[in-house]
Amino acid sequence: RRMILRFTPEEGATYKLYLALNPEGRGAELLPPPRSGLVDGATITGLKPEVPLYLYLTATRDKKESPPSAPYRLVTHDNFAEK
């Protein structure tokens, strides 16, 4: 499954997206950025359907990574379950 990432970027910052299976972020894994880079409107693919996922965004500026954002809960759905 896939999603389109929407956020307001800050000039001069680069971004990382982390994925966890719990809202506390324990065990969060860094997602590889799409070919276009992690920018507003980027498509994130490979997400498991019907599983609650929690996404965290960080910004890096002057070689310092920000604390993670508040978690964003996402559940993708398989619209073609009866293929």
Side-chain angles (χ1 to χ4, degrees), residues 5 7 15-18 38 55-59 66-70:
L5 182 66
F7 65 99
Y15 295 89
K16 293 179 182 175
L17 187 64
Y18 293 86
L38 195 55
L55 302 170
Y56 301 85
L57 188 68
T58 65
S66 70
S69 65

Side-chain angles (χ1 to χ4, degrees), residues 2 4-5 10 15 18 24 26 28-30 32 35 38 42 50 54 62 69 71 80:
R2 66 179 183 218
I4 296 175
L5 182 66
E10 294 181 13
Y15 295 89
Y18 293 86
E24 297 83 26
R26 285 186 319 273
E29 294 186 18
L30 177 63
R35 289 184 187 160
L38 195 55
E50 310 301 333
Y54 297 87
D62 299 325
S69 65
F80 302 99

